[in-house]
């Protein structure tokens, strides 16, 4: 076998002992390796004794001492290289390198000499360490692990008056207190620092800037602001502390809960005359808020979109209270989440409207950036929320309408607002006729009210694209037609009619005029709109004219009768024309009025369906008591839907007599109106009584002769034909006979 083939077989043989899946490093090996690393540090450069050489030797003693401590907790490795410029000094043993410290008070807490002396490789015999500095480092483990005893020792230390931040840092290390794991001790130390009779805010600022003492979650930044809420402090010192808080915000060292506490506490800071900062100096408060906002924007850890909703809500509430609308608008835009609907855009706009209503002389800029910077759905939701809130406002009618009118003017002048019409939020409400599993929030308005409010908004938005007489296509046309169709679907489900219900809902909402009736007629109507109809719809929408007054004007009534036919019909049905009081009122109008007052009464008769139906039932006469019939006539209870037929005929006869004798009517007008009543009776099957025939003869013949007017032959023959038909030929002969002197004849005059 060749040597190469033997080598291959030898390489393929499995090892005699199994390989380990991990490498074990003992504590001794690790300590020895770290000791060699610490002792092997050399500074390459000049070896001339001086300050640099003393610092090098101090660093070597520090590293050696750290390597020889086997049972002590692991130190922060960054301290070996001088973190923050001062952390490498925490092992120093010389009073001239430390801040003033109450050695006597610390010595009282010492518990014995160290168990293992420090070994210094290049120890300087002239500078010996004082035995009281590290006397608690190697104390009894049972003593240091006792929580109650450790808290008692710390409390006794904090009761002293001459300790500083460096002293507190060293003492917590000796007690083996990890402030990062137990931030309550950091809060305790900071509160005792602030609780001194004359607290040194310079030390407080240094404490806040110290990452070892001021640990995350301790709430020291909020506590620093709370001291200004309790006691009055000079403005310069207060600003210095707040600047330290802003530096911490830039570094992302303050938790979100603590930021919320700071925001709510700033307006309550006591300033001059024992007043708060929020009520005394709004500009200073806004300046602090601006600095905090800028610091958060410069932070790479905590950005605007990382802020909790609690922080944003508390902050915006304070900004709206101080009327900082531009700042609030910027905050809403920066913290906006397109996936959620926030109420703050609408709250901002409504607060601006209310402020302008109270102080109209102050020209506050309209916060229109939220409509261009936010997404389309959020902008549409904002304008809808503002309109619904203003419409449901319990305030008096005049201020409420003024707010709505100002809101309408703002929307009409906004140029970018027309893009809001493309949103699908306009149709985001539950319909009663649609079964859905989605749970909607309780609505302050009914579905019909919501549709009308959105139509009012879209009509306003349409004005921003040009004058309304311009019939070109607009972005608001499609949602308007869809909403009108939805409204028609809703009222059909509730057995309603379109235009009457539409006008009633507009009156219930009491909205400023926005030509909604004309809009509905343009989109849903099929007839041309005249100036009279346009003016009538405007008066109806603004409640300047009621439907009860419309039917008195023939031209207006004919124009809108088709739109409000159901309402007119219901209105006429509710009127009981056979009521004695109503009959007397009608007759007084006929006797004293002219044709303009009488024609509405005739139209009322023509539109009262129950009255027309009852006329043909009057052919059965009422039996006279002398006839002694077995079944007597007992008129039952009557109402507007079932009038008495004989009372209806009696009303027609009295009207004919009053019209024939009315002095405010010409003979031609009297005969024309009486003839209209005759055709009304014949058309609806009512009986013609002799009383009615005589009234027609008086109006068409007698009054003409009295006034010296010429009677048409056709008219004369027609009247005689009616007399012959209902009175008999004998009466006609009497009427056409020549007058006889000394004779007697039937006198109808």
């Amino acid at each position: 076998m060749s040597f190469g083939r033997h080598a291959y077989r030898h390489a393929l043989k499995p090892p005699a002992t199994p390989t380990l899946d991990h490498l074990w490093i003992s504590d001794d090996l690790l300590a020895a390796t770290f000791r060699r690393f610490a002792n092997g540090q050399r500074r390459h450069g000049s070896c001339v004794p001086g300050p640099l050489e003393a610092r090098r030797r101090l660093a070597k003693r520090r590293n050696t001492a750290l390597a020889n401590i086997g049972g002590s907790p692991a130190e922060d490795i960054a301290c070996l290289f001088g973190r923050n410029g001062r952390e490498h000094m925490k092992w120093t043993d010389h009073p001239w390198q430390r801040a003033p410290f109450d050695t006597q008070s610390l010595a009282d807490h010492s518990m014995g000499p160290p168990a293992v002396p420090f070994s210094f490789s290049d120890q300087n015999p002239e500078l010996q360490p004082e035995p009281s500095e590290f006397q608690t480092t190697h104390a009894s483990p049972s003593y240091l692990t006792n929580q109650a005893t450790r808290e008692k020792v710390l409390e006794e230390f904090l009761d002293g008056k001459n300790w500083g931040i460096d002293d507190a840092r060293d003492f917590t290390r000796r007690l083996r207190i990890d402030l990062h794991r137990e931030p309550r001790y950091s809060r305790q130390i900071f509160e005792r620092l602030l609780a001194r009779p004359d607290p040194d805010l310079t030390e407080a600022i240094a404490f806040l800037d110290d990452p070892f003492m001021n640990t995350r979650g301790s709430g020291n930044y909020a506590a620093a602001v709370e001291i200004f809420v309790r006691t009055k402090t000079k403005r310069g010192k207060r600003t210095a502390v707040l600047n330290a808080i802003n530096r911490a915000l830039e570094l992302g060292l303050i938790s979100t809960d603590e930021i919320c506490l700071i925001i709510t506490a700033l307006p309550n800071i006591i300033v001059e005359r024992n007043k708060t900062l929020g009520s005394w100096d709004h500009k200073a408060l806004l300046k602090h808020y601006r600095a905090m906002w800028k610091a958060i924007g410069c932070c790479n850890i905590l950005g605007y979109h990382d802020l909790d909703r609690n922080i944003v809500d508390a902050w915006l509430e304070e900004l709206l209270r101080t009327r900082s609308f531009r700042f609030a608008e910027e905050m809403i835009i920066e913290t906006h989440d397109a996936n959620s609907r926030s109420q703050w855009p609408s709250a901002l706009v409504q607060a601006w409207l209310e402020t302008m209503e109270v102080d109209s002389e102050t020209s506050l800029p309209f916060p229109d950036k939220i409509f261009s910077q936010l997404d389309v759905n959020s902008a549409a939701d904002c304008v809808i929320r503002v309109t619904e809130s203003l419409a449901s406002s319990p305030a008096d009618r005049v201020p409420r309408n003024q707010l709505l009118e100002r809101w309408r003017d703002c929307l009409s002048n906004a140029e970018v607002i027309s893009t809001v019409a493309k949103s699908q939020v306009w149709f985001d409400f539950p319909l009663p006729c649609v079964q859905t599993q989605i749970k909607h929030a309780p609505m302050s308005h009914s579905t019909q009210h919501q549709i009308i409010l959105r139509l009012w908004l879209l009509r306003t938005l349409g004005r921003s694209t040009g004058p309304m007489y311009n019939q070109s296509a607009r972005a608001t046309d499609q949602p308007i037609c869809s909403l009108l169709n939805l409204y028609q679907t809703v009222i059909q489900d509730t057995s309603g009619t379109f235009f009457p219900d539409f006008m009633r809902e507009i009156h219930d909402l009491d909205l400023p005029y926005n030509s909604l009736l004309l809009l509905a007629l343009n989109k849903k109507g099929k007839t041309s709109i005249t100036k009279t109809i346009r003016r009538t719809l405007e008066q109806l929408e603004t409640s300047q004219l009621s439907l009860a007054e419309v039917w008195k004007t023939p031209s207006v009534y004919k124009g809108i009768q088709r739109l409000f036919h159901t309402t007119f019909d219901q209105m006429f049905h509710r009127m009981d024309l056979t009521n004695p009081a109503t009959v007397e009122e009608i007759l007084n109008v006929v006797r004293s009025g002219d044709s303009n007052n009488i024609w509405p009464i005739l139209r009322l008769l023509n539109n009262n369906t129950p009255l027309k139906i009852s006329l043909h039932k009057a052919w059965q006469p009422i039996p006279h008591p002398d006839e002694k019939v077995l079944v007597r006539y007992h008129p039952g209870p009557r109402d507007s839907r079932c009038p008495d037929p004989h009372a209806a005929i009696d009303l027609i006869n009295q009207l004919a007599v009053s019209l024939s004798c009315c002095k405010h009517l010409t003979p031609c007008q009297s005969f024309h109106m009486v003839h209209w009543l005759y055709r009304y009776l014949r058309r609806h099957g009512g009986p013609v009584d002799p009383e009615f025939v005589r009234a027609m003869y008086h109006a068409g013949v007698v009054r003409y002769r009295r006034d010296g007017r010429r009677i048409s032959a056709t008219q004369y023959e027609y009247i005689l034909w009616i007399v012959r038909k209902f009175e008999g030929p004998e009466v006609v002969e009497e009427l056409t006979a020549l007058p006889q002197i000394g004779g007697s004849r039937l006198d109808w005059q």
Side-chain angles (χ1 to χ4, degrees):
M1 182 182 295
S2 65
F3 177 77
R5 186 175 300 174
H6 173 75
Y8 293 153
R9 293 180 60 189
H10 182 72
L12 293 174
K13 291 176 61 177
T17 58
T19 58
L20 298 176
D21 57 349
H22 63 275
L23 179 63
W24 177 259
I25 300 176
S26 62
D27 294 340
D28 296 337
L29 178 61
L30 182 61
T33 304
F34 184 74
R35 187 181 299 108
R36 286 196 302 271
F37 164 74
N39 292 335
Q41 292 190 31
R42 294 293 183 270
R43 183 176 64 84
H44 301 280
S46 176
C47 295
V48 178
L52 296 178
E53 185 66 20
R55 186 178 301 174
R56 185 187 68 82
R57 294 178 181 179
L58 177 62
K60 181 177 291 187
R61 289 196 301 271
R62 177 192 63 198
N63 298 338
T64 305
L66 180 62
N68 290 334
I69 300 175
S72 62
E75 296 287 349
D76 190 358
I77 194 67
C79 298
L80 294 175
F81 307 100
R83 184 180 63 176
N84 298 329
R86 288 184 55 85
E87 287 296 320
H88 65 282
M89 301 294 292
K90 66 180 181 180
W91 285 281
T92 182
D93 304 326
H94 307 290
W96 57 272
Q97 289 178 330
R98 295 172 51 92
F101 182 67
D102 188 3
T103 58
Q104 182 62 30
S105 62
L106 183 59
D108 295 340
H109 304 292
S110 62
M111 293 168 285
V116 180
F118 297 158
S119 59
F120 300 97
S121 58
D122 55 348
Q123 183 171 343
N124 190 354
E126 287 77 14
L127 299 175
Q128 295 292 336
E130 296 180 3
S132 62
E133 294 294 327
F134 285 88
Q135 289 180 358
T136 60
T137 305
H138 299 282
S140 174
S142 61
Y143 182 84
L144 294 177
T145 56
N146 191 344
Q147 185 74 15
T149 306
R150 187 167 56 177
E151 291 181 356
K152 182 179 179 182
V153 173
L154 180 61
E155 186 69 24
E156 292 178 358
F157 168 75
L158 295 178
D159 288 339
K161 299 181 180 180
N162 297 327
W163 56 270
I165 299 176
D166 296 335
D167 304 328
R169 183 191 305 111
D170 294 341
F171 195 82
T172 53
R173 284 201 181 100
R174 292 173 191 144
L175 293 180
R176 298 184 182 179
I177 297 177
D178 191 356
L179 298 180
H180 292 276
R181 294 184 178 180
E182 297 178 300
R184 57 189 180 89
Y185 290 113
S186 175
R187 180 64 177 270
Q188 181 182 1
I189 297 172
F190 188 67
E191 286 181 350
R192 297 298 293 273
L193 183 66
L194 296 178
R196 292 177 176 178
D198 188 11
D200 188 1
L201 294 182
T202 304
E203 289 191 358
I205 296 173
F207 187 95
L208 294 176
D209 293 337
D210 192 336
F212 178 80
M213 297 298 296
N214 183 23
T215 57
R216 186 178 180 86
S218 59
N220 293 328
Y221 295 102
V225 180
E226 288 293 335
I227 191 175
F228 304 139
V229 177
R230 295 191 299 266
T231 59
K232 179 183 175 182
T233 313
K234 291 184 178 180
R235 184 172 184 176
K237 296 182 178 180
R238 182 177 69 241
T239 304
V241 174
L242 296 178
N243 290 338
I245 295 176
N246 295 334
R247 289 194 298 271
L249 286 174
E250 291 183 8
L251 299 176
L253 301 178
I254 306 180
S255 62
T256 55
D257 296 338
E258 199 170 356
I259 293 175
C260 186
L261 294 176
I262 294 173
I263 292 172
T264 55
L266 279 178
N268 300 325
I269 293 177
I270 298 179
V271 291
E272 286 78 5
R273 300 180 182 179
N274 291 329
K275 293 186 177 181
T276 60
L277 185 64
S279 60
W280 179 260
D281 194 354
H282 288 174
K283 293 184 178 179
L285 177 61
L286 182 60
K287 182 179 179 181
H288 293 318
Y289 278 153
R290 279 285 187 183
M292 292 180 61
W293 179 255
K294 183 179 180 181
I296 295 175
C298 296
C299 180
N300 295 326
I301 301 175
L302 181 68
Y304 293 141
H305 287 280
D306 300 323
L307 295 176
D308 292 343
R309 294 310 308 173
N310 296 333
I311 297 177
V312 178
D313 294 345
W315 212 334
L316 288 174
E317 185 177 355
E318 292 296 334
L319 292 180
L320 293 185
R321 188 183 61 84
T322 56
R323 305 195 314 180
S324 305
F325 298 123
R326 282 301 183 191
F327 189 11
E329 182 183 27
E330 178 184 353
M331 184 176 296
I332 290 173
I333 294 173
E334 293 294 340
T335 60
H336 172 65
D337 185 8
N339 297 326
S340 62
R341 301 282 179 84
S342 175
Q343 77 279 7
W344 286 113
S346 57
L348 170 63
V349 175
Q350 190 170 354
W352 179 85
L353 291 172
E354 294 175 354
T355 304
M356 290 297 295
E357 179 66 25
V358 175
D359 190 6
S360 58
E361 298 180 357
T362 304
S363 58
L364 296 174
F366 177 65
D368 54 352
K369 289 185 179 179
I370 58 176
F371 302 122
S372 58
Q373 299 294 332
L374 299 183
D375 58 288
V376 175
N377 293 333
S378 299
D381 181 70
C382 172
V383 296
I384 291 174
R385 283 175 180 264
V386 172
T387 307
E388 291 182 353
S389 177
L390 293 178
S392 60
S393 176
D396 296 337
R397 182 179 183 276
V398 175
R400 170 184 172 275
N401 285 355
Q402 290 178 355
L403 290 177
L404 285 171
E405 290 175 358
R406 179 173 282 109
W407 175 232
R408 180 189 59 186
D409 297 339
C410 293
L411 294 179
S412 300
N413 297 328
E415 297 180 356
V416 297
I417 203 65
S418 59
T419 58
V420 179
K422 302 177 182 179
S423 174
Q424 294 298 318
V425 180
W426 299 104
F427 317 106
D428 187 12
F429 48 79
L431 294 177
C433 57
V434 178
Q435 298 295 332
T436 178
Q437 299 296 331
I438 302 176
K439 295 183 178 179
H440 293 265
M443 299 180 296
S444 58
H445 297 279
S446 63
T447 304
Q448 294 91 325
H449 283 183
Q450 289 186 21
I451 295 176
I452 291 177
L453 286 174
R454 299 178 190 201
L455 287 171
W456 186 86
L457 270 175
L458 290 170
R459 184 68 166 176
T460 304
L461 298 180
R463 297 181 186 276
S464 62
T465 60
M468 298 310 298
Y469 59 79
N470 187 1
Q471 299 298 327
S472 59
R474 304 173 188 265
T476 57
D477 291 343
Q478 190 274 333
I480 285 176
C481 293
S482 300
L483 287 175
L484 288 174
N485 293 334
L486 286 175
Y487 184 83
Q488 188 172 8
T489 303
V490 172
I491 62 174
Q492 286 177 356
D493 184 72
T494 57
S495 301
T497 53
F498 186 84
F499 280 96
D501 289 1
F502 194 72
M503 185 180 67
R504 184 172 61 254
E505 299 291 348
I506 294 175
H507 291 168
D508 292 343
L509 290 172
D510 193 16
L511 296 174
Y513 173 71
N514 210 3
S515 62
L516 291 182
L517 285 176
L518 184 61
L519 173 67
L521 185 58
N522 277 326
K523 301 299 181 181
K524 304 295 291 185
K526 298 181 180 180
T527 58
S528 60
I529 302 176
T530 62
K531 292 183 179 180
T532 303
I533 296 177
R534 185 186 302 271
R535 184 167 54 253
T536 303
L537 292 178
E538 178 181 352
Q539 293 176 349
L540 288 174
E541 184 175 342
T542 56
S543 300
Q544 298 178 2
L545 186 68
S546 63
L547 291 177
E549 300 172 348
V550 168
W551 63 273
K552 297 180 180 180
T553 307
S555 59
V556 177
Y557 175 73
K558 290 180 181 179
I560 65 172
Q561 179 185 8
R562 184 180 57 84
L563 303 178
F564 301 94
H565 172 72
T566 305
T567 304
F568 284 123
D569 192 43
Q570 293 175 356
M571 180 180 64
F572 295 145
H573 287 182
R574 289 193 298 266
M575 300 180 64
D576 187 8
L577 300 181
T578 60
N579 190 336
T582 306
V583 172
E584 187 64 28
E585 183 178 357
I586 292 175
L587 295 178
N588 290 333
V589 172
V590 172
R591 295 188 186 105
S592 60
D594 53 4
S595 61
N596 295 329
N597 303 116
I598 297 173
W599 275 116
I601 296 177
L602 301 182
R603 283 194 298 272
L604 182 61
L605 295 176
N606 191 36
N607 289 279
N608 198 313
T609 304
L611 182 68
K612 292 187 289 187
I613 294 175
S614 66
L615 291 177
H616 78 281
K617 299 179 181 180
W619 282 99
Q620 183 180 1
I622 301 177
H624 196 270
D626 297 339
E627 298 179 4
K628 299 180 182 181
V629 295
L630 297 178
V631 180
R632 299 188 61 184
Y633 177 77
H634 296 282
R638 301 291 183 175
D639 55 7
S640 60
R641 296 187 176 273
C642 185
D644 186 4
H646 299 282
I649 292 296
D650 186 60
L651 171 64
I652 300 298
N653 294 334
Q654 293 185 53
L655 275 176
V657 173
S658 299
L659 289 172
S660 64
C661 300
C662 182
K663 298 179 180 180
H664 301 283
L665 298 176
T666 63
C668 182
Q669 290 176 339
S670 295
F671 174 74
H672 183 63
M673 292 182 180
V674 174
H675 182 256
W676 186 93
L677 289 176
Y678 172 76
R679 293 174 55 242
Y680 177 80
L681 281 174
R682 301 298 292 171
R683 185 168 58 251
H684 300 293
V688 180
D689 294 340
E691 183 180 3
F692 186 91
V693 176
R694 295 173 185 179
M696 178 178 287
Y697 184 84
H698 182 81
V701 177
V702 177
R703 289 197 60 182
Y704 273 80
R705 290 174 177 174
R706 286 181 180 177
D707 292 349
R709 295 174 179 267
R710 176 182 175 275
I711 304 175
S712 171
T714 305
Q715 176 179 330
Y716 184 73
E717 292 295 334
Y718 178 73
I719 294 175
L720 292 180
W721 175 80
I722 293 176
V723 173
R724 183 181 298 106
K725 183 176 181 179
F726 295 101
E727 291 287 336
E730 297 82 5
V731 178
V732 175
E733 292 178 359
E734 284 289 331
L735 293 176
T736 57
L738 295 175
Q740 298 178 4
I741 299 174
S744 61
R745 58 172 296 176
L746 183 64
D747 188 9
W748 282 8
Q749 288 82 3

